Amino acid sequence: MSGVSVAPADLTGTELRRAIAGTLLPGFLGTTLPDWLAERLRGGLGGVCLFGQNIVSAGQLRRLTDAIRAANPDAVVAIDEEGGDVTRLYYGSGSPYPGNAILGRLGDTAYTEQVARRVGEELCRAGVNLDFAPDIDINSNPDNPVIGVRSFGSSPSVVADHGAAWTRGLQAAGVAVAAKHFPGHGDTATDSHLALPVVDLSAQQLRERELVPFRAVIDAGARAVMTSHILLPQLDAALPATLSPAVLDGMLRGELGFDGVVVSDALDMEGASGGGRGIPEAAVLALAAGCDLLCLGTENTDDELAAIEEAVVAAVSSGRLAPSRLAVASARVLSLTRTAPPTIESAQTDGSHGVSRAISADSTVGREAELVRSAFEVSPRAEAWLADYRGGRYSVVRIETVANLAVGTAPWGPFSAVDAEPDAAWAKAFAANPAVVFTENDHPDLVLAAQSPVLVIGKDNHRHAFARAAIDRLRAERERVLVVDMGWPGDDRAYADIATFGASRLVGRALLELLGPVS
């Protein structure tokens, strides 16, 4: 890809502070632009990252992004829209897209590119110009608590092919890609939101697996790459990738030749700022390592940004951070927005939680749900259960686990599908069945299932001891139990009679149509 040529500069005073501001990407609370944030944007703040809590409707979102650009026409407006379980546009209703794991299983890169372009068109209408997607981590560890179905799969070539297709589709719609999480968050059993994962792989092992998709998206023209907060002791025994010159400057810039914008994953995550380091020090280290744009978190404040700026100024004064590094970083960020295609002006304003029309029962959506179903794994046990009880009465046990912070609390699976289309025949049939919600701290009496078949629906069932115990108990006491896993199932599929490999609203509809009846 073509990057930006920047001459190093010795910045001082106001120029230095404006360059620092140009590298910062905070989040904020609320659905309108706060005065303090507008003032910082007028002063050269790099941009704003939007989250589900900032979005209630299409019209509101476009008014918000218009306000951001009125304060700073060059602002980055970023979002985490992966088109599946991780959604911000549809945080209130669940995503109408299939998600990466299903796209990878379908194996149709043209369809992946089409989905990405549709996502990009929505983001463009909304006034967003940078998307933290695609997730091109290779989910090589089925116990991964933070990647899972966000990945296109466990094969480097599959992830590479679909990551490149997603990149082409999204950027064709006028939105820059930030492929993540470099150099690969797939082989972990720890969530970097909560701790620092360790990936003990050599540089050669990374080249043979984790780096394959990153080479592919760079070749496809990805304009940005997001880092991961993982420790790679064979490359840098002290600092996570986001803060490591060996990983970012040495491997991403030097070995892979990437010359676009390097974006940090959120610095409020424990993997970056934990252990007493704090966000200001993490910001200094990230900039020194080679990050150009610092994603700061979800609920930043004016005082927090001031503390970060002062820490960076102090690092420059002490010689820890070269002014030229800030000049290069802020210039790359400006180039990202100034060379992006223009946004689409016609925002949908139907008042729904999503940016475009809500998913409907038309034939196009029905065909897409049918396509999604073809990616499901359905065991012989599930086929026998469906042969006897499809379209009939059964009890539902909904297993709710604590969602990782990337996914958040967006509605999921068949429950979001029923809310979106309550009058559909399959929605009425499902909603008519008795149901309980089963959580780690709330174990309702499962006796309701005594006189009927049982349908258990959860995500990543095998990773949660309380979920395994509930399923084991039901199977011991009942003969007619069907277990659906809408996450990434364990290798032995012991707790996944049906594995859907995703829990978006579209996937939920596909599952309910499989359960019947279909009108």
Side-chain angles (χ1 to χ4, degrees):
M1 63 165 287
S2 175
V4 58
S5 176
V6 182
D10 291 326
L11 304 176
T12 58
T14 302
E15 288 181 339
L16 175 63
R17 287 188 174 273
R18 192 170 184 92
I20 295 169
T23 69
L24 304 182
L25 188 76
F28 67 97
L29 285 172
T31 56
T32 57
L33 187 65
D35 291 342
W36 69 266
L37 192 51
E39 183 62 29
R40 285 191 172 274
L41 285 162
R42 287 189 286 271
L45 185 70
V48 175
C49 187
L50 302 177
F51 294 88
Q53 66 191 14
N54 303 124
I55 301 170
V56 294
S57 72
Q60 169 269 328
L61 175 56
R62 186 56 193 247
R63 289 190 294 273
L64 174 58
T65 60
D66 283 347
I68 292 168
R69 286 213 175 74
N72 180 359
D74 294 318
V76 171
V77 182
I79 203 166
D80 226 351
E81 184 57 53
E82 296 179 11
D85 284 29
V86 175
T87 181
R88 305 298 181 240
L89 294 180
Y90 294 94
Y91 196 69
S93 61
S95 172
Y97 298 107
N100 285 358
I102 286 177
L103 292 173
R105 288 177 61 78
L106 291 173
D108 183 347
T109 55
Y111 178 56
T112 296
E113 186 169 342
Q114 178 195 97
V115 168
R117 178 152 190 158
R118 285 158 55 196
V119 171
E121 288 170 350
E122 289 203 64
L123 292 176
C124 210
R125 282 191 291 269
V128 172
N129 55 19
L130 178 65
D131 188 12
F132 295 152
D135 187 317
I136 54 169
D137 300 304
I138 299 164
N139 200 62
S140 51
N141 187 340
D143 293 331
N144 196 314
V146 68
I147 304 301
V149 298
R150 301 168 64 192
S151 168
F152 290 109
S154 57
S155 161
S157 61
V158 168
V159 176
D161 290 346
H162 288 272
W166 180 281
T167 297
R168 292 191 298 269
L170 192 84
Q171 294 192 161
V175 178
V177 150
K180 60 191 182 186
H181 306 80
F182 188 84
H185 205 314
D187 194 10
T188 68
T190 303
D191 185 345
S192 55
H193 291 88
L194 308 175
L196 177 60
V198 177
V199 178
D200 193 14
L201 298 176
S202 68
Q204 186 57 34
Q205 288 173 310
L206 290 170
R207 293 183 189 107
E208 293 171 355
R209 190 176 67 179
E210 274 73 12
L211 298 188
V212 172
F214 286 97
R215 289 187 185 279
V217 298
I218 290 170
D219 288 345
R223 305 198 64 214
V225 169
M226 175 176 271
T227 66
S228 63
H229 306 325
I230 61 173
L231 188 69
L232 298 132
Q234 296 191 46
L235 276 69
D236 188 327
L239 294 170
T242 298
L243 314 181
S244 172
V247 175
L248 300 187
D249 192 45
M251 182 167 278
L252 179 57
R253 295 285 190 208
E255 184 171 332
L256 270 63
F258 180 66
D259 60 358
V261 173
V262 177
V263 188
S264 78
D265 205 348
L267 295 184
D268 64 345
M269 295 165 61
E270 188 70 14
S273 54
R277 181 178 287 126
I279 295 176
E281 175 64 7
V284 170
L285 292 173
L287 288 167
C291 288
D292 304 307
L293 183 61
L294 305 183
C295 180
L296 301 178
T298 60
E299 301 178 4
N300 301 120
T301 65
D302 190 35
D303 288 344
E304 187 173 56
L305 265 66
I308 292 168
E309 289 186 345
E310 291 307 317
V312 177
V313 169
V316 171
S317 298
S318 67
R320 293 178 63 204
L321 185 61
S324 58
R325 169 82 271 274
L326 295 169
V328 169
S330 59
R332 280 201 185 103
V333 175
L334 277 175
S335 177
L336 182 70
T337 57
R338 288 181 176 178
T339 60
T343 60
I344 300 169
E345 295 302 323
S346 56
Q348 297 272 1
T349 55
D350 62 3
S352 68
H353 288 292
V355 174
S356 71
R357 294 182 301 275
I359 190 170
S360 65
D362 61 35
S363 60
T364 300
V365 175
R367 288 196 299 272
E368 193 158 23
E370 184 177 358
L371 178 62
V372 165
R373 282 199 304 281
S374 70
F376 292 179
E377 276 188 10
V378 181
S379 70
R381 187 206 303 249
E383 290 174 349
W385 192 97
L386 290 168
D388 289 338
Y389 305 117
R390 185 175 189 272
R393 297 299 301 274
Y394 47 83
S395 299
V396 178
V397 177
R398 172 178 175 172
I399 296 181
E400 281 283 0
T401 55
V402 176
N404 70 60
L405 294 177
V407 173
T409 58
W412 62 279
F415 317 106
S416 60
V418 167
D419 288 343
E421 298 182 69
D423 295 329
W426 41 262
K428 290 179 178 178
F430 182 76
N433 294 314
V436 295
V437 178
F438 203 83
T439 72
E440 187 167 13
N441 298 316
D442 185 9
H443 300 172
D445 189 355
L446 297 178
V447 73
L448 68 86
Q451 302 303 318
S452 64
V454 183
L455 173 65
V456 182
I457 304 177
K459 292 190 287 185
D460 301 329
N461 296 331
H462 73 285
R463 291 200 303 104
H464 304 279
F466 83 93
R468 296 194 304 271
I471 293 167
D472 288 343
R473 176 186 162 192
L474 281 167
R475 284 176 170 168
E477 297 176 358
R478 313 284 183 263
E479 293 182 357
R480 301 166 294 177
V481 178
L482 175 65
V483 179
V484 177
D485 191 333
M486 303 197 76
W488 192 282
D491 285 341
D492 62 4
R493 306 296 196 261
Y495 298 95
D497 301 326
I498 295 177
T500 66
F501 293 91
S504 73
R505 176 159 41 104
L506 176 63
V507 180
R509 171 180 171 149
L511 174 64
L512 291 184
E513 289 183 353
L514 177 63
L515 294 171
V518 178
S519 58

Short mmCIF file of all heavy atoms in Angstrom, two decimals, residues 371-423:
data_model
loop_
_atom_site.label_atom_id
_atom_site.label_comp_id
_atom_site.label_asym_id
_atom_site.label_seq_id
_atom_site.Cartn_x
_atom_site.Cartn_y
_atom_site.Cartn_z
N LEU A 371 -28.46 -19.36 3.77
CA LEU A 371 -27.04 -19.50 3.51
C LEU A 371 -26.27 -19.67 4.82
O LEU A 371 -25.39 -20.53 4.94
CB LEU A 371 -26.52 -18.27 2.75
CG LEU A 371 -25.03 -18.23 2.43
CD1 LEU A 371 -24.64 -19.38 1.52
CD2 LEU A 371 -24.67 -16.88 1.80
N VAL A 372 -26.61 -18.87 5.82
CA VAL A 372 -25.96 -18.96 7.13
C VAL A 372 -26.16 -20.35 7.73
O VAL A 372 -25.22 -20.94 8.29
CB VAL A 372 -26.50 -17.87 8.06
CG1 VAL A 372 -26.14 -18.16 9.52
CG2 VAL A 372 -25.96 -16.50 7.65
N ARG A 373 -27.35 -20.91 7.60
CA ARG A 373 -27.62 -22.24 8.16
C ARG A 373 -26.72 -23.31 7.56
O ARG A 373 -26.38 -24.29 8.21
CB ARG A 373 -29.08 -22.64 7.95
CG ARG A 373 -30.05 -21.99 8.90
CD ARG A 373 -31.37 -22.74 8.97
NE ARG A 373 -32.02 -22.90 7.69
CZ ARG A 373 -32.73 -21.96 7.07
NH1 ARG A 373 -32.86 -20.77 7.64
NH2 ARG A 373 -33.30 -22.18 5.91
N SER A 374 -26.31 -23.10 6.32
CA SER A 374 -25.45 -24.10 5.69
C SER A 374 -24.08 -24.16 6.33
O SER A 374 -23.32 -25.12 6.10
CB SER A 374 -25.32 -23.82 4.18
OG SER A 374 -24.55 -22.65 3.94
N ALA A 375 -23.73 -23.14 7.13
CA ALA A 375 -22.45 -23.15 7.84
C ALA A 375 -22.54 -23.81 9.20
O ALA A 375 -21.52 -24.03 9.85
CB ALA A 375 -21.94 -21.71 8.00
N PHE A 376 -23.74 -24.14 9.67
CA PHE A 376 -23.90 -24.78 10.97
C PHE A 376 -23.34 -26.20 10.95
O PHE A 376 -23.38 -26.87 9.91
CB PHE A 376 -25.38 -24.87 11.36
CG PHE A 376 -26.05 -23.56 11.66
CD1 PHE A 376 -27.40 -23.53 12.00
CD2 PHE A 376 -25.37 -22.36 11.61
CE1 PHE A 376 -28.05 -22.35 12.28
CE2 PHE A 376 -26.02 -21.15 11.88
CZ PHE A 376 -27.36 -21.16 12.22
N GLU A 377 -22.88 -26.66 12.09
CA GLU A 377 -22.60 -28.08 12.30
C GLU A 377 -23.79 -28.69 13.03
O GLU A 377 -24.15 -28.22 14.12
CB GLU A 377 -21.34 -28.28 13.14
CG GLU A 377 -20.05 -28.24 12.37
CD GLU A 377 -18.87 -28.65 13.24
OE1 GLU A 377 -19.09 -29.14 14.37
OE2 GLU A 377 -17.73 -28.46 12.80
N VAL A 378 -24.40 -29.70 12.47
CA VAL A 378 -25.57 -30.35 13.07
C VAL A 378 -25.23 -31.83 13.26
O VAL A 378 -25.03 -32.56 12.30
CB VAL A 378 -26.82 -30.19 12.18
CG1 VAL A 378 -28.03 -30.85 12.84
CG2 VAL A 378 -27.09 -28.70 11.91
N SER A 379 -25.17 -32.25 14.51
CA SER A 379 -24.76 -33.63 14.82
C SER A 379 -25.91 -34.60 14.59
O SER A 379 -27.08 -34.20 14.48
CB SER A 379 -24.34 -33.71 16.29
OG SER A 379 -25.47 -33.58 17.13
N PRO A 380 -25.62 -35.91 14.52
CA PRO A 380 -26.71 -36.90 14.42
C PRO A 380 -27.70 -36.79 15.57
O PRO A 380 -28.90 -36.98 15.37
CB PRO A 380 -25.95 -38.23 14.45
CG PRO A 380 -24.61 -37.91 13.86
CD PRO A 380 -24.29 -36.54 14.36
N ARG A 381 -27.21 -36.49 16.78
CA ARG A 381 -28.13 -36.31 17.91
C ARG A 381 -29.10 -35.16 17.64
O ARG A 381 -30.29 -35.27 17.92
CB ARG A 381 -27.32 -36.02 19.19
CG ARG A 381 -28.20 -35.98 20.46
CD ARG A 381 -27.59 -35.10 21.56
NE ARG A 381 -26.26 -35.48 21.96
CZ ARG A 381 -25.93 -36.00 23.14
NH1 ARG A 381 -26.85 -36.24 24.04
NH2 ARG A 381 -24.68 -36.27 23.42
N ALA A 382 -28.57 -34.07 17.07
CA ALA A 382 -29.43 -32.93 16.76
C ALA A 382 -30.42 -33.27 15.65
O ALA A 382 -31.59 -32.88 15.70
CB ALA A 382 -28.58 -31.74 16.35
N GLU A 383 -29.98 -34.01 14.65
CA GLU A 383 -30.88 -34.39 13.56
C GLU A 383 -32.03 -35.24 14.08
O GLU A 383 -33.19 -35.07 13.66
CB GLU A 383 -30.10 -35.14 12.49
CG GLU A 383 -29.13 -34.25 11.71
CD GLU A 383 -28.26 -35.03 10.75
OE1 GLU A 383 -28.26 -36.29 10.84
OE2 GLU A 383 -27.57 -34.41 9.92
N ALA A 384 -31.75 -36.13 15.02
CA ALA A 384 -32.81 -36.97 15.58
C ALA A 384 -33.79 -36.13 16.39
O ALA A 384 -35.01 -36.32 16.32
CB ALA A 384 -32.19 -38.05 16.46
N TRP A 385 -33.28 -35.17 17.18
CA TRP A 385 -34.14 -34.30 17.98
C TRP A 385 -35.03 -33.47 17.05
O TRP A 385 -36.24 -33.34 17.28
CB TRP A 385 -33.27 -33.38 18.84
CG TRP A 385 -33.98 -32.63 19.93
CD1 TRP A 385 -34.08 -32.98 21.24
CD2 TRP A 385 -34.66 -31.37 19.80
NE1 TRP A 385 -34.78 -32.03 21.93
CE2 TRP A 385 -35.15 -31.02 21.07
CE3 TRP A 385 -34.91 -30.51 18.73
CZ2 TRP A 385 -35.87 -29.85 21.31
CZ3 TRP A 385 -35.62 -29.34 18.95
CH2 TRP A 385 -36.10 -29.03 20.23
N LEU A 386 -34.44 -32.91 16.00
CA LEU A 386 -35.21 -32.08 15.07
C LEU A 386 -36.26 -32.91 14.33
O LEU A 386 -37.38 -32.43 14.06
CB LEU A 386 -34.27 -31.42 14.06
CG LEU A 386 -33.36 -30.32 14.62
CD1 LEU A 386 -32.29 -29.94 13.60
CD2 LEU A 386 -34.16 -29.09 15.03
N ALA A 387 -35.94 -34.15 14.01
CA ALA A 387 -36.91 -35.00 13.32
C ALA A 387 -38.15 -35.21 14.17
O ALA A 387 -39.28 -35.29 13.66
CB ALA A 387 -36.27 -36.35 12.99
N ASP A 388 -37.97 -35.26 15.49
CA ASP A 388 -39.10 -35.52 16.40
C ASP A 388 -39.81 -34.25 16.84
O ASP A 388 -41.03 -34.25 17.03
CB ASP A 388 -38.62 -36.26 17.64
CG ASP A 388 -38.23 -37.70 17.35
OD1 ASP A 388 -38.71 -38.24 16.33
OD2 ASP A 388 -37.43 -38.26 18.13
N TYR A 389 -39.08 -33.15 17.00
CA TYR A 389 -39.66 -32.00 17.70
C TYR A 389 -39.62 -30.70 16.92
O TYR A 389 -40.04 -29.66 17.44
CB TYR A 389 -38.93 -31.81 19.05
CG TYR A 389 -38.94 -33.05 19.88
CD1 TYR A 389 -37.76 -33.69 20.23
CD2 TYR A 389 -40.14 -33.62 20.30
CE1 TYR A 389 -37.76 -34.85 20.98
CE2 TYR A 389 -40.16 -34.78 21.06
CZ TYR A 389 -38.96 -35.38 21.39
OH TYR A 389 -38.98 -36.53 22.14
N ARG A 390 -39.12 -30.71 15.70
CA ARG A 390 -39.09 -29.47 14.92
C ARG A 390 -40.50 -28.91 14.79
O ARG A 390 -41.42 -29.59 14.36
CB ARG A 390 -38.49 -29.72 13.54
CG ARG A 390 -38.30 -28.44 12.73
CD ARG A 390 -37.59 -28.75 11.41
NE ARG A 390 -37.23 -27.52 10.72
CZ ARG A 390 -38.03 -26.87 9.89
NH1 ARG A 390 -39.23 -27.35 9.62
NH2 ARG A 390 -37.62 -25.76 9.30
N GLY A 391 -40.64 -27.64 15.16
CA GLY A 391 -41.93 -26.98 15.08
C GLY A 391 -42.87 -27.32 16.21
O GLY A 391 -43.99 -26.80 16.26
N GLY A 392 -42.43 -28.16 17.16
CA GLY A 392 -43.29 -28.54 18.28
C GLY A 392 -43.01 -27.73 19.53
O GLY A 392 -42.44 -26.65 19.48
N ARG A 393 -43.43 -28.29 20.68
CA ARG A 393 -43.24 -27.61 21.95
C ARG A 393 -42.03 -28.18 22.67
O ARG A 393 -41.78 -29.39 22.65
CB ARG A 393 -44.49 -27.78 22.83
CG ARG A 393 -45.75 -27.16 22.27
CD ARG A 393 -45.60 -25.66 22.09
NE ARG A 393 -45.31 -24.98 23.34
CZ ARG A 393 -46.24 -24.56 24.21
NH1 ARG A 393 -47.52 -24.79 23.97
NH2 ARG A 393 -45.89 -23.93 25.32
N TYR A 394 -41.30 -27.30 23.32
CA TYR A 394 -40.13 -27.70 24.10
C TYR A 394 -39.85 -26.60 25.12
O TYR A 394 -40.36 -25.48 25.01
CB TYR A 394 -38.91 -27.93 23.20
CG TYR A 394 -38.66 -26.83 22.19
CD1 TYR A 394 -37.98 -25.67 22.53
CD2 TYR A 394 -39.13 -26.95 20.88
CE1 TYR A 394 -37.78 -24.66 21.61
CE2 TYR A 394 -38.93 -25.94 19.95
CZ TYR A 394 -38.24 -24.80 20.32
OH TYR A 394 -38.05 -23.80 19.40
N SER A 395 -39.05 -26.94 26.11
CA SER A 395 -38.62 -25.95 27.09
C SER A 395 -37.25 -25.41 26.70
O SER A 395 -36.43 -26.14 26.16
CB SER A 395 -38.54 -26.58 28.48
OG SER A 395 -39.81 -27.05 28.88
N VAL A 396 -37.05 -24.13 26.99
CA VAL A 396 -35.81 -23.46 26.60
C VAL A 396 -35.00 -23.13 27.85
O VAL A 396 -35.52 -22.51 28.79
CB VAL A 396 -36.09 -22.17 25.81
CG1 VAL A 396 -34.77 -21.47 25.46
CG2 VAL A 396 -36.90 -22.47 24.57
N VAL A 397 -33.75 -23.53 27.87
CA VAL A 397 -32.81 -23.12 28.90
C VAL A 397 -31.78 -22.21 28.24
O VAL A 397 -31.00 -22.66 27.40
CB VAL A 397 -32.12 -24.33 29.56
CG1 VAL A 397 -31.09 -23.85 30.59
CG2 VAL A 397 -33.15 -25.23 30.23
N ARG A 398 -31.83 -20.95 28.60
CA ARG A 398 -30.91 -19.95 28.03
C ARG A 398 -29.74 -19.76 28.99
O ARG A 398 -29.92 -19.31 30.12
CB ARG A 398 -31.65 -18.63 27.83
CG ARG A 398 -30.77 -17.44 27.43
CD ARG A 398 -31.65 -16.22 27.21
NE ARG A 398 -30.89 -15.02 26.93
CZ ARG A 398 -31.43 -13.87 26.55
NH1 ARG A 398 -32.74 -13.76 26.39
NH2 ARG A 398 -30.66 -12.81 26.32
N ILE A 399 -28.55 -20.12 28.55
CA ILE A 399 -27.37 -19.99 29.39
C ILE A 399 -26.69 -18.66 29.08
O ILE A 399 -26.24 -18.42 27.96
CB ILE A 399 -26.39 -21.15 29.16
CG1 ILE A 399 -27.04 -22.46 29.59
CG2 ILE A 399 -25.10 -20.92 29.94
CD1 ILE A 399 -26.15 -23.67 29.43
N GLU A 400 -26.68 -17.80 30.08
CA GLU A 400 -26.07 -16.49 29.93
C GLU A 400 -24.73 -16.46 30.66
O GLU A 400 -24.68 -16.62 31.87
CB GLU A 400 -26.99 -15.39 30.49
CG GLU A 400 -28.12 -15.00 29.57
CD GLU A 400 -27.68 -14.10 28.41
OE1 GLU A 400 -26.48 -13.78 28.33
OE2 GLU A 400 -28.54 -13.73 27.59
N THR A 401 -23.67 -16.28 29.91
CA THR A 401 -22.35 -16.10 30.50
C THR A 401 -21.97 -14.63 30.46
O THR A 401 -22.61 -13.84 29.76
CB THR A 401 -21.30 -16.93 29.74
OG1 THR A 401 -21.35 -16.58 28.35
CG2 THR A 401 -21.62 -18.42 29.87
N VAL A 402 -20.95 -14.26 31.19
CA VAL A 402 -20.49 -12.87 31.18
C VAL A 402 -19.78 -12.62 29.86
O VAL A 402 -18.78 -13.26 29.54
CB VAL A 402 -19.53 -12.59 32.36
CG1 VAL A 402 -19.00 -11.17 32.28
CG2 VAL A 402 -20.26 -12.82 33.69
N ALA A 403 -20.32 -11.69 29.08
CA ALA A 403 -19.73 -11.40 27.77
C ALA A 403 -18.39 -10.69 27.93
O ALA A 403 -18.20 -9.91 28.87
CB ALA A 403 -20.68 -10.53 26.96
N ASN A 404 -17.46 -10.98 27.02
CA ASN A 404 -16.20 -10.21 27.07
C ASN A 404 -16.49 -8.76 26.70
O ASN A 404 -17.52 -8.44 26.09
CB ASN A 404 -15.13 -10.85 26.19
CG ASN A 404 -15.40 -10.72 24.71
OD1 ASN A 404 -15.50 -9.63 24.18
ND2 ASN A 404 -15.52 -11.86 24.03
N LEU A 405 -15.57 -7.88 27.07
CA LEU A 405 -15.83 -6.45 26.93
C LEU A 405 -15.89 -6.00 25.48
O LEU A 405 -16.46 -4.96 25.19
CB LEU A 405 -14.77 -5.67 27.71
CG LEU A 405 -14.83 -5.86 29.23
CD1 LEU A 405 -13.70 -5.11 29.91
CD2 LEU A 405 -16.18 -5.41 29.78
N ALA A 406 -15.30 -6.76 24.57
CA ALA A 406 -15.39 -6.40 23.15
C ALA A 406 -16.81 -6.58 22.64
O ALA A 406 -17.32 -5.77 21.87
CB ALA A 406 -14.41 -7.24 22.33
N VAL A 407 -17.46 -7.66 23.07
CA VAL A 407 -18.84 -7.93 22.65
C VAL A 407 -19.83 -7.05 23.41
O VAL A 407 -20.76 -6.49 22.84
CB VAL A 407 -19.18 -9.42 22.85
CG1 VAL A 407 -20.66 -9.68 22.56
CG2 VAL A 407 -18.30 -10.29 21.95
N GLY A 408 -19.62 -6.93 24.72
CA GLY A 408 -20.54 -6.14 25.54
C GLY A 408 -21.87 -6.83 25.73
O GLY A 408 -21.96 -8.06 25.70
N THR A 409 -22.91 -6.05 25.88
CA THR A 409 -24.24 -6.58 26.22
C THR A 409 -25.24 -6.50 25.08
O THR A 409 -26.44 -6.45 25.30
CB THR A 409 -24.80 -5.84 27.45
OG1 THR A 409 -24.88 -4.43 27.16
CG2 THR A 409 -23.92 -6.04 28.67
N ALA A 410 -24.76 -6.48 23.86
CA ALA A 410 -25.67 -6.45 22.71
C ALA A 410 -26.56 -7.69 22.72
O ALA A 410 -26.10 -8.78 23.05
CB ALA A 410 -24.88 -6.38 21.41
N PRO A 411 -27.84 -7.56 22.35
CA PRO A 411 -28.71 -8.74 22.24
C PRO A 411 -28.12 -9.76 21.27
O PRO A 411 -27.43 -9.40 20.32
CB PRO A 411 -30.02 -8.15 21.70
CG PRO A 411 -29.99 -6.70 22.07
CD PRO A 411 -28.54 -6.32 22.00
N TRP A 412 -28.42 -11.03 21.53
CA TRP A 412 -27.77 -12.05 20.71
C TRP A 412 -28.73 -13.18 20.35
O TRP A 412 -29.74 -13.42 20.99
CB TRP A 412 -26.55 -12.62 21.44
CG TRP A 412 -26.83 -13.31 22.75
CD1 TRP A 412 -27.02 -12.70 23.97
CD2 TRP A 412 -26.96 -14.72 22.99
NE1 TRP A 412 -27.23 -13.64 24.95
CE2 TRP A 412 -27.21 -14.88 24.39
CE3 TRP A 412 -26.88 -15.84 22.18
CZ2 TRP A 412 -27.38 -16.16 24.97
CZ3 TRP A 412 -27.06 -17.09 22.75
CH2 TRP A 412 -27.29 -17.24 24.13
N GLY A 413 -28.35 -13.86 19.28
CA GLY A 413 -28.98 -15.11 18.88
C GLY A 413 -30.48 -15.03 18.66
O GLY A 413 -31.02 -14.01 18.23
N PRO A 414 -31.19 -16.12 18.96
CA PRO A 414 -32.63 -16.19 18.69
C PRO A 414 -33.42 -15.18 19.50
O PRO A 414 -34.50 -14.76 19.09
CB PRO A 414 -33.00 -17.62 19.07
CG PRO A 414 -31.95 -18.05 20.02
CD PRO A 414 -30.68 -17.38 19.56
N PHE A 415 -32.88 -14.76 20.63
CA PHE A 415 -33.59 -13.83 21.50
C PHE A 415 -33.67 -12.45 20.84
O PHE A 415 -34.69 -11.77 20.91
CB PHE A 415 -32.90 -13.78 22.86
CG PHE A 415 -32.51 -15.15 23.35
CD1 PHE A 415 -31.19 -15.57 23.33
CD2 PHE A 415 -33.50 -16.05 23.76
CE1 PHE A 415 -30.84 -16.85 23.74
CE2 PHE A 415 -33.15 -17.34 24.16
CZ PHE A 415 -31.82 -17.73 24.15
N SER A 416 -32.59 -12.03 20.19
CA SER A 416 -32.64 -10.76 19.45
C SER A 416 -33.49 -10.89 18.20
O SER A 416 -34.19 -9.96 17.81
CB SER A 416 -31.22 -10.31 19.09
OG SER A 416 -30.56 -11.26 18.28
N ALA A 417 -33.47 -12.07 17.57
CA ALA A 417 -34.27 -12.27 16.36
C ALA A 417 -35.76 -12.20 16.66
O ALA A 417 -36.54 -11.62 15.90
CB ALA A 417 -33.92 -13.61 15.72
N VAL A 418 -36.18 -12.80 17.79
CA VAL A 418 -37.58 -12.75 18.18
C VAL A 418 -38.01 -11.32 18.47
O VAL A 418 -39.10 -10.88 18.09
CB VAL A 418 -37.82 -13.66 19.41
CG1 VAL A 418 -39.20 -13.39 20.01
CG2 VAL A 418 -37.71 -15.13 19.00
N ASP A 419 -37.15 -10.56 19.14
CA ASP A 419 -37.48 -9.16 19.43
C ASP A 419 -37.62 -8.35 18.14
O ASP A 419 -38.46 -7.44 18.06
CB ASP A 419 -36.38 -8.53 20.30
CG ASP A 419 -36.42 -9.04 21.73
OD1 ASP A 419 -37.45 -9.62 22.14
OD2 ASP A 419 -35.41 -8.87 22.44
N ALA A 420 -36.81 -8.68 17.12
CA ALA A 420 -36.84 -7.92 15.87
C ALA A 420 -38.03 -8.28 15.00
O ALA A 420 -38.58 -7.42 14.30
CB ALA A 420 -35.54 -8.14 15.10
N GLU A 421 -38.43 -9.55 15.01
CA GLU A 421 -39.51 -10.03 14.14
C GLU A 421 -40.51 -10.87 14.94
O GLU A 421 -40.67 -12.07 14.68
CB GLU A 421 -38.93 -10.86 13.00
CG GLU A 421 -37.99 -10.10 12.09
CD GLU A 421 -37.48 -10.95 10.95
OE1 GLU A 421 -38.29 -11.30 10.07
OE2 GLU A 421 -36.29 -11.29 10.96
N PRO A 422 -41.20 -10.27 15.89
CA PRO A 422 -42.07 -11.06 16.76
C PRO A 422 -43.25 -11.72 16.06
O PRO A 422 -43.81 -12.69 16.58
CB PRO A 422 -42.56 -10.03 17.79
CG PRO A 422 -42.43 -8.71 17.10
CD PRO A 422 -41.21 -8.84 16.24
N ASP A 423 -43.61 -11.23 14.88
CA ASP A 423 -44.78 -11.79 14.19
C ASP A 423 -44.43 -12.93 13.23
O ASP A 423 -45.34 -13.54 12.65
CB ASP A 423 -45.50 -10.68 13.41
CG ASP A 423 -46.09 -9.63 14.34
OD1 ASP A 423 -46.48 -10.00 15.47
OD2 ASP A 423 -46.15 -8.46 13.94
#
